Amino acid sequence: MSSSQLIRHLGNIAYRHAFGIYRPLYGIFKSYADRAERTFLAKHLSAGYVAVDGGANIGIYSQFLAKCVGSSGAVHSFEPSPANFARLRAAVRDFPNVSVNQLLLGNRTEESVLYISEALNVDHRAYPTEGELRRGISVRCTRLDDYFKPGQRVDLIKMDIQGFELHALEGAQRVLEDNPKIKLLLEFWPYGLKEAGKSPEAFVSFLKDRGFVIFRPKGDGLTRCDPPCANSSDPTNYFNIFAQRANPRA
């Protein structure tokens, strides 16, 4: 077992049996690991903004986004796992501007299946995993285009849903068009996209075809990039990307 695998294994044990210890430690880890993303969001999310937290897990990002958009803004958090959802709901109970939804984001609104990872609470997936038997549970899937009413403004979509990001974006095409200035913070995981039945090339094309320019958060700013799509056989190859339109119409 590698050192990273050992850390994940111990983290999952703490999640199950010592959550009071796990949560603050995980919060510290996310603050450090995503410091570039958080620095940028803190500068560009204003009071009154509406944000989506897709794959909200135990609520670390939902709390952060809620503070960024303030009491006049709103955060809509989505987490399909029953165990994670219970933690999420508890985490944001003092944040009235957060709406929690035990829903999977996808390109259809229907009953679906979530495949549970017994090894890692952040690795539940919306698709069967090749070479691995997982317990499947029934969950409700929704399109963001069905969740939000036509014309309802969304300013940020943040998603980390284990390779199902393109499915969810396909289900949010009207939302993406309704606000030309919408910003996206997405995990780019070529291996997961392929496992979910999509390709990293299709993911990148979807964004570019809709006028989005892709960046990687670094330091206090952004670096423009064309995400490398070739290495889809390495499950450890993933990173966050930020996307916004170059010349959004008013």
Side-chain angles (χ1 to χ4, degrees):
M1 182 181 293
S2 68
S3 58
S4 62
Q5 289 174 323
L6 177 60
I7 291 172
R8 289 186 173 191
H9 175 68
L10 293 175
N12 201 55
I13 292 175
Y15 172 85
R16 292 174 179 273
H17 304 291
F19 189 75
I21 297 174
Y22 171 87
R23 181 178 178 80
L25 290 178
Y26 184 66
I28 292 170
F29 166 75
K30 289 298 289 182
S31 295
Y32 176 78
D34 292 353
R35 58 195 182 279
E37 291 86 342
R38 290 188 177 213
T39 296
F40 184 82
L41 289 175
K43 289 181 177 180
H44 290 83
L45 282 179
S46 300
Y49 274 28
V50 176
V52 166
D53 186 4
N57 194 249
I58 62 173
I60 299 294
Y61 247 107
S62 292
Q63 290 179 330
F64 173 76
L65 294 173
K67 294 173 183 177
C68 289
V69 303
S71 59
S72 60
V75 178
H76 298 267
S77 302
F78 298 84
E79 174 54 51
S81 159
N84 286 343
F85 180 77
R87 307 292 196 187
L88 165 66
R89 184 167 52 188
V92 299
R93 62 190 171 200
D94 295 327
F95 292 85
N97 58 343
V98 179
S99 298
V100 294
N101 303 275
Q102 193 175 346
L103 294 169
L104 172 71
L105 294 182
N107 54 10
R108 296 180 181 179
T109 296
E110 61 183 6
E111 292 299 318
S112 189
V113 177
L114 184 69
Y115 296 88
I116 300 297
S117 171
E118 301 297 343
L120 200 60
N121 77 292
V122 296
D123 193 33
H124 308 319
R125 304 184 191 180
Y127 51 88
T129 304
E130 184 177 355
E132 182 182 355
L133 292 176
R134 293 190 177 205
R135 174 172 58 94
I137 63 171
S138 178
V139 297
R140 185 69 180 167
C141 181
T142 190
R143 303 190 316 154
L144 285 175
D145 282 349
D146 293 327
Y147 178 86
F148 290 105
K149 297 177 181 179
Q152 190 174 355
R153 191 191 81 250
V154 178
D155 300 290
L156 170 76
I157 296 176
K158 170 262 172 192
M159 282 196 295
D160 180 353
I161 49 177
Q162 299 301 96
F164 217 58
E165 286 80 7
L166 182 51
H167 290 78
L169 290 172
E170 290 173 345
Q173 297 191 59
R174 193 202 70 240
V175 168
L176 296 177
E177 289 302 314
D178 279 351
N179 183 5
K181 296 181 180 180
I182 193 171
K183 296 175 173 57
L184 310 175
L185 178 60
L186 310 167
E187 183 180 69
F188 180 68
W189 186 28
Y191 177 87
L193 289 163
K194 185 177 178 181
E195 287 284 293
K198 302 292 184 179
S199 71
E201 292 84 2
F203 176 91
V204 172
S205 293
F206 180 95
L207 295 175
K208 290 185 175 181
D209 289 348
R210 286 155 182 82
F212 286 95
V213 181
I214 301 172
F215 302 85
R216 286 191 69 173
K218 287 190 176 181
D220 293 336
L222 300 172
T223 300
R224 187 165 176 172
C225 78
D226 285 312
C229 299
N231 193 5
S232 59
S233 61
D234 180 5
T236 66
N237 174 39
Y238 57 87
F239 52 88
N240 288 329
I241 63 169
F242 181 84
Q244 63 183 2
R245 291 185 172 98
N247 298 298
R249 64 184 186 274

Short mmCIF file of all heavy atoms in Angstrom, two decimals, residues 89-129:
data_model
loop_
_atom_site.label_atom_id
_atom_site.label_comp_id
_atom_site.label_asym_id
_atom_site.label_seq_id
_atom_site.Cartn_x
_atom_site.Cartn_y
_atom_site.Cartn_z
N ARG A 89 -26.07 18.17 5.49
CA ARG A 89 -27.20 18.89 6.08
C ARG A 89 -26.84 19.42 7.47
O ARG A 89 -27.18 20.56 7.82
CB ARG A 89 -28.41 17.97 6.16
CG ARG A 89 -29.68 18.66 6.67
CD ARG A 89 -30.89 17.78 6.42
NE ARG A 89 -30.71 16.44 6.93
CZ ARG A 89 -31.56 15.43 6.70
NH1 ARG A 89 -32.64 15.64 5.95
NH2 ARG A 89 -31.33 14.25 7.21
N ALA A 90 -26.12 18.62 8.25
CA ALA A 90 -25.69 19.07 9.57
C ALA A 90 -24.69 20.23 9.47
O ALA A 90 -24.72 21.16 10.28
CB ALA A 90 -25.09 17.92 10.35
N ALA A 91 -23.83 20.18 8.44
CA ALA A 91 -22.79 21.19 8.31
C ALA A 91 -23.34 22.56 7.98
O ALA A 91 -22.75 23.59 8.36
CB ALA A 91 -21.78 20.75 7.24
N VAL A 92 -24.46 22.61 7.26
CA VAL A 92 -24.96 23.91 6.79
C VAL A 92 -26.24 24.33 7.51
O VAL A 92 -26.92 25.25 7.05
CB VAL A 92 -25.18 23.89 5.25
CG1 VAL A 92 -23.88 23.61 4.53
CG2 VAL A 92 -26.25 22.87 4.87
N ARG A 93 -26.54 23.72 8.63
CA ARG A 93 -27.78 24.05 9.32
C ARG A 93 -27.80 25.49 9.82
O ARG A 93 -28.87 26.07 10.03
CB ARG A 93 -28.01 23.09 10.48
CG ARG A 93 -26.95 23.12 11.56
CD ARG A 93 -27.12 21.98 12.52
NE ARG A 93 -26.00 21.86 13.44
CZ ARG A 93 -25.71 20.75 14.12
NH1 ARG A 93 -26.47 19.68 13.98
NH2 ARG A 93 -24.67 20.71 14.93
N ASP A 94 -26.63 26.09 9.99
CA ASP A 94 -26.57 27.49 10.42
C ASP A 94 -26.36 28.44 9.24
O ASP A 94 -26.03 29.62 9.44
CB ASP A 94 -25.44 27.68 11.44
CG ASP A 94 -25.71 26.93 12.74
OD1 ASP A 94 -26.89 26.81 13.11
OD2 ASP A 94 -24.74 26.47 13.37
N PHE A 95 -26.54 27.93 8.02
CA PHE A 95 -26.40 28.75 6.81
C PHE A 95 -27.74 28.76 6.08
O PHE A 95 -28.00 27.91 5.23
CB PHE A 95 -25.31 28.19 5.90
CG PHE A 95 -23.92 28.31 6.44
CD1 PHE A 95 -23.40 27.34 7.31
CD2 PHE A 95 -23.11 29.38 6.10
CE1 PHE A 95 -22.12 27.45 7.81
CE2 PHE A 95 -21.83 29.50 6.60
CZ PHE A 95 -21.32 28.54 7.46
N PRO A 96 -28.61 29.73 6.38
CA PRO A 96 -29.93 29.75 5.76
C PRO A 96 -29.90 30.00 4.26
O PRO A 96 -30.92 29.80 3.58
CB PRO A 96 -30.66 30.88 6.50
CG PRO A 96 -29.56 31.73 7.06
CD PRO A 96 -28.44 30.80 7.37
N ASN A 97 -28.78 30.44 3.72
CA ASN A 97 -28.68 30.68 2.28
C ASN A 97 -28.26 29.44 1.50
O ASN A 97 -28.00 29.52 0.29
CB ASN A 97 -27.72 31.83 1.98
CG ASN A 97 -26.31 31.60 2.50
OD1 ASN A 97 -26.09 30.73 3.36
ND2 ASN A 97 -25.35 32.36 2.01
N VAL A 98 -28.19 28.27 2.16
CA VAL A 98 -27.84 27.02 1.49
C VAL A 98 -29.06 26.11 1.42
O VAL A 98 -29.70 25.84 2.44
CB VAL A 98 -26.69 26.29 2.22
CG1 VAL A 98 -26.36 24.97 1.51
CG2 VAL A 98 -25.45 27.17 2.28
N SER A 99 -29.37 25.65 0.22
CA SER A 99 -30.43 24.65 0.01
C SER A 99 -29.76 23.32 -0.29
O SER A 99 -28.94 23.23 -1.21
CB SER A 99 -31.32 25.05 -1.16
OG SER A 99 -31.97 26.28 -0.92
N VAL A 100 -30.08 22.29 0.49
CA VAL A 100 -29.45 20.99 0.30
C VAL A 100 -30.41 20.05 -0.42
O VAL A 100 -31.61 20.04 -0.16
CB VAL A 100 -28.99 20.38 1.65
CG1 VAL A 100 -27.88 21.22 2.26
CG2 VAL A 100 -30.15 20.25 2.61
N ASN A 101 -29.85 19.25 -1.32
CA ASN A 101 -30.65 18.37 -2.16
C ASN A 101 -29.97 17.00 -2.25
O ASN A 101 -28.82 16.91 -2.69
CB ASN A 101 -30.78 18.95 -3.56
CG ASN A 101 -31.37 20.34 -3.57
OD1 ASN A 101 -32.58 20.50 -3.56
ND2 ASN A 101 -30.51 21.36 -3.58
N GLN A 102 -30.69 15.97 -1.84
CA GLN A 102 -30.14 14.62 -1.94
C GLN A 102 -30.41 14.10 -3.36
O GLN A 102 -31.26 13.26 -3.59
CB GLN A 102 -30.76 13.69 -0.90
CG GLN A 102 -29.99 12.37 -0.78
CD GLN A 102 -30.52 11.50 0.34
OE1 GLN A 102 -31.27 11.95 1.20
NE2 GLN A 102 -30.12 10.24 0.33
N LEU A 103 -29.64 14.66 -4.29
CA LEU A 103 -29.84 14.39 -5.70
C LEU A 103 -28.49 14.21 -6.41
O LEU A 103 -27.50 14.83 -6.03
CB LEU A 103 -30.57 15.56 -6.37
CG LEU A 103 -32.02 15.84 -5.94
CD1 LEU A 103 -32.48 17.18 -6.49
CD2 LEU A 103 -32.93 14.72 -6.44
N LEU A 104 -28.51 13.39 -7.42
CA LEU A 104 -27.39 13.22 -8.33
C LEU A 104 -27.59 14.15 -9.52
O LEU A 104 -28.71 14.28 -10.01
CB LEU A 104 -27.35 11.76 -8.81
CG LEU A 104 -26.37 11.38 -9.91
CD1 LEU A 104 -24.94 11.40 -9.39
CD2 LEU A 104 -26.71 9.99 -10.45
N LEU A 105 -26.55 14.82 -9.97
CA LEU A 105 -26.65 15.66 -11.15
C LEU A 105 -26.31 14.86 -12.39
O LEU A 105 -25.33 14.11 -12.42
CB LEU A 105 -25.70 16.86 -11.04
CG LEU A 105 -26.02 17.88 -9.94
CD1 LEU A 105 -25.01 19.02 -9.99
CD2 LEU A 105 -27.43 18.42 -10.09
N GLY A 106 -27.14 15.01 -13.44
CA GLY A 106 -26.90 14.27 -14.67
C GLY A 106 -27.60 14.93 -15.85
O GLY A 106 -28.02 16.09 -15.78
N ASN A 107 -27.73 14.17 -16.94
CA ASN A 107 -28.36 14.70 -18.15
C ASN A 107 -29.80 14.23 -18.30
O ASN A 107 -30.42 14.45 -19.35
CB ASN A 107 -27.55 14.35 -19.39
CG ASN A 107 -27.28 12.85 -19.52
OD1 ASN A 107 -27.85 12.04 -18.79
ND2 ASN A 107 -26.42 12.48 -20.44
N ARG A 108 -30.34 13.59 -17.27
CA ARG A 108 -31.74 13.18 -17.25
C ARG A 108 -32.30 13.35 -15.84
O ARG A 108 -31.56 13.22 -14.86
CB ARG A 108 -31.89 11.71 -17.67
CG ARG A 108 -31.47 11.41 -19.10
CD ARG A 108 -31.66 9.95 -19.42
NE ARG A 108 -31.24 9.64 -20.79
CZ ARG A 108 -31.28 8.43 -21.33
NH1 ARG A 108 -31.74 7.40 -20.60
NH2 ARG A 108 -30.90 8.24 -22.58
N THR A 109 -33.58 13.61 -15.76
CA THR A 109 -34.26 13.64 -14.48
C THR A 109 -35.03 12.33 -14.35
O THR A 109 -36.02 12.10 -15.06
CB THR A 109 -35.21 14.85 -14.38
OG1 THR A 109 -34.41 16.05 -14.42
CG2 THR A 109 -36.01 14.82 -13.08
N GLU A 110 -34.54 11.46 -13.46
CA GLU A 110 -35.08 10.10 -13.37
C GLU A 110 -34.50 9.40 -12.15
O GLU A 110 -33.59 9.90 -11.48
CB GLU A 110 -34.70 9.31 -14.62
CG GLU A 110 -33.19 9.17 -14.80
CD GLU A 110 -32.78 8.44 -16.07
OE1 GLU A 110 -33.67 8.14 -16.88
OE2 GLU A 110 -31.58 8.17 -16.23
N GLU A 111 -35.03 8.22 -11.87
CA GLU A 111 -34.42 7.37 -10.85
C GLU A 111 -33.13 6.79 -11.42
O GLU A 111 -33.06 6.42 -12.60
CB GLU A 111 -35.37 6.23 -10.46
CG GLU A 111 -36.61 6.70 -9.71
CD GLU A 111 -36.28 7.39 -8.40
OE1 GLU A 111 -35.38 6.91 -7.68
OE2 GLU A 111 -36.91 8.43 -8.11
N SER A 112 -32.10 6.72 -10.59
CA SER A 112 -30.81 6.25 -11.05
C SER A 112 -30.17 5.39 -9.97
O SER A 112 -30.80 5.06 -8.96
CB SER A 112 -29.92 7.44 -11.41
OG SER A 112 -28.74 7.02 -12.05
N VAL A 113 -28.91 5.03 -10.18
CA VAL A 113 -28.17 4.18 -9.24
C VAL A 113 -26.86 4.87 -8.89
O VAL A 113 -26.17 5.40 -9.77
CB VAL A 113 -27.89 2.79 -9.83
CG1 VAL A 113 -27.06 1.95 -8.86
CG2 VAL A 113 -29.19 2.07 -10.17
N LEU A 114 -26.52 4.89 -7.61
CA LEU A 114 -25.23 5.38 -7.14
C LEU A 114 -24.44 4.18 -6.65
O LEU A 114 -24.92 3.39 -5.83
CB LEU A 114 -25.41 6.38 -6.01
CG LEU A 114 -24.14 7.04 -5.47
CD1 LEU A 114 -23.55 7.98 -6.52
CD2 LEU A 114 -24.42 7.81 -4.18
N TYR A 115 -23.21 4.04 -7.16
CA TYR A 115 -22.35 2.91 -6.81
C TYR A 115 -21.41 3.35 -5.69
O TYR A 115 -20.57 4.22 -5.87
CB TYR A 115 -21.60 2.43 -8.04
CG TYR A 115 -22.54 1.88 -9.10
CD1 TYR A 115 -23.10 2.73 -10.06
CD2 TYR A 115 -22.90 0.53 -9.11
CE1 TYR A 115 -23.99 2.24 -11.02
CE2 TYR A 115 -23.78 0.03 -10.06
CZ TYR A 115 -24.33 0.90 -11.01
OH TYR A 115 -25.21 0.41 -11.94
N ILE A 116 -21.59 2.71 -4.54
CA ILE A 116 -20.95 3.15 -3.31
C ILE A 116 -19.54 2.59 -3.17
O ILE A 116 -19.31 1.38 -3.35
CB ILE A 116 -21.80 2.73 -2.09
CG1 ILE A 116 -23.19 3.35 -2.15
CG2 ILE A 116 -21.10 3.11 -0.79
CD1 ILE A 116 -23.20 4.86 -2.09
N SER A 117 -18.60 3.46 -2.85
CA SER A 117 -17.25 3.03 -2.51
C SER A 117 -17.18 2.76 -1.01
O SER A 117 -17.46 3.65 -0.21
CB SER A 117 -16.23 4.11 -2.88
OG SER A 117 -14.95 3.79 -2.37
N GLU A 118 -16.82 1.54 -0.65
CA GLU A 118 -16.65 1.22 0.76
C GLU A 118 -15.28 1.68 1.27
O GLU A 118 -15.04 1.70 2.47
CB GLU A 118 -16.80 -0.29 0.97
CG GLU A 118 -18.15 -0.86 0.53
CD GLU A 118 -19.32 -0.30 1.32
OE1 GLU A 118 -19.10 0.26 2.42
OE2 GLU A 118 -20.46 -0.40 0.83
N ALA A 119 -14.40 2.06 0.33
CA ALA A 119 -13.04 2.43 0.71
C ALA A 119 -12.85 3.93 0.88
O ALA A 119 -11.94 4.36 1.58
CB ALA A 119 -12.05 1.91 -0.34
N LEU A 120 -13.71 4.74 0.23
CA LEU A 120 -13.47 6.18 0.23
C LEU A 120 -14.79 6.91 0.05
O LEU A 120 -15.45 6.77 -0.98
CB LEU A 120 -12.51 6.54 -0.91
CG LEU A 120 -11.75 7.86 -0.83
CD1 LEU A 120 -10.88 7.92 0.42
CD2 LEU A 120 -10.91 8.07 -2.07
N ASN A 121 -15.16 7.71 1.02
CA ASN A 121 -16.47 8.36 0.96
C ASN A 121 -16.58 9.44 -0.10
O ASN A 121 -17.67 9.90 -0.41
CB ASN A 121 -16.82 8.98 2.33
CG ASN A 121 -16.08 10.28 2.60
OD1 ASN A 121 -14.86 10.29 2.78
ND2 ASN A 121 -16.79 11.39 2.62
N VAL A 122 -15.46 9.85 -0.69
CA VAL A 122 -15.50 10.85 -1.76
C VAL A 122 -15.45 10.20 -3.14
O VAL A 122 -15.31 10.90 -4.15
CB VAL A 122 -14.34 11.86 -1.63
CG1 VAL A 122 -14.47 12.66 -0.35
CG2 VAL A 122 -12.98 11.16 -1.68
N ASP A 123 -15.60 8.88 -3.21
CA ASP A 123 -15.44 8.18 -4.49
C ASP A 123 -16.68 7.40 -4.90
O ASP A 123 -16.58 6.43 -5.64
CB ASP A 123 -14.22 7.24 -4.43
CG ASP A 123 -13.82 6.73 -5.80
OD1 ASP A 123 -14.00 7.47 -6.78
OD2 ASP A 123 -13.37 5.57 -5.89
N HIS A 124 -17.85 7.77 -4.43
CA HIS A 124 -19.08 7.16 -4.94
C HIS A 124 -19.27 7.62 -6.38
O HIS A 124 -18.97 8.77 -6.72
CB HIS A 124 -20.27 7.57 -4.08
CG HIS A 124 -20.07 7.34 -2.62
ND1 HIS A 124 -19.47 6.21 -2.10
CD2 HIS A 124 -20.39 8.12 -1.54
CE1 HIS A 124 -19.44 6.29 -0.78
NE2 HIS A 124 -19.98 7.45 -0.41
N ARG A 125 -19.80 6.74 -7.23
CA ARG A 125 -19.89 7.06 -8.65
C ARG A 125 -21.28 6.77 -9.21
O ARG A 125 -21.99 5.92 -8.69
CB ARG A 125 -18.82 6.29 -9.44
CG ARG A 125 -17.42 6.55 -8.92
CD ARG A 125 -16.36 5.88 -9.75
NE ARG A 125 -15.06 5.93 -9.07
CZ ARG A 125 -13.94 5.43 -9.57
NH1 ARG A 125 -13.96 4.83 -10.76
NH2 ARG A 125 -12.81 5.51 -8.90
N ALA A 126 -21.60 7.45 -10.29
CA ALA A 126 -22.90 7.32 -10.92
C ALA A 126 -22.89 6.28 -12.03
O ALA A 126 -23.85 6.19 -12.80
CB ALA A 126 -23.34 8.67 -11.49
N TYR A 127 -21.86 5.45 -12.09
CA TYR A 127 -21.70 4.46 -13.14
C TYR A 127 -20.94 3.26 -12.58
O TYR A 127 -20.18 3.39 -11.61
CB TYR A 127 -20.94 5.05 -14.32
CG TYR A 127 -19.65 5.73 -13.92
CD1 TYR A 127 -18.44 5.03 -13.82
CD2 TYR A 127 -19.63 7.08 -13.58
CE1 TYR A 127 -17.28 5.64 -13.42
CE2 TYR A 127 -18.46 7.71 -13.17
CZ TYR A 127 -17.29 6.99 -13.11
OH TYR A 127 -16.13 7.60 -12.71
N PRO A 128 -21.14 2.06 -13.16
CA PRO A 128 -20.40 0.88 -12.68
C PRO A 128 -18.90 1.06 -12.93
O PRO A 128 -18.49 1.67 -13.93
CB PRO A 128 -20.96 -0.26 -13.54
CG PRO A 128 -22.23 0.25 -14.11
CD PRO A 128 -22.08 1.74 -14.23
N THR A 129 -18.10 0.57 -12.02
CA THR A 129 -16.65 0.68 -12.13
C THR A 129 -16.08 -0.61 -12.66
O THR A 129 -16.29 -1.68 -12.09
CB THR A 129 -16.04 1.01 -10.75
OG1 THR A 129 -16.64 2.19 -10.24
CG2 THR A 129 -14.54 1.24 -10.87
#
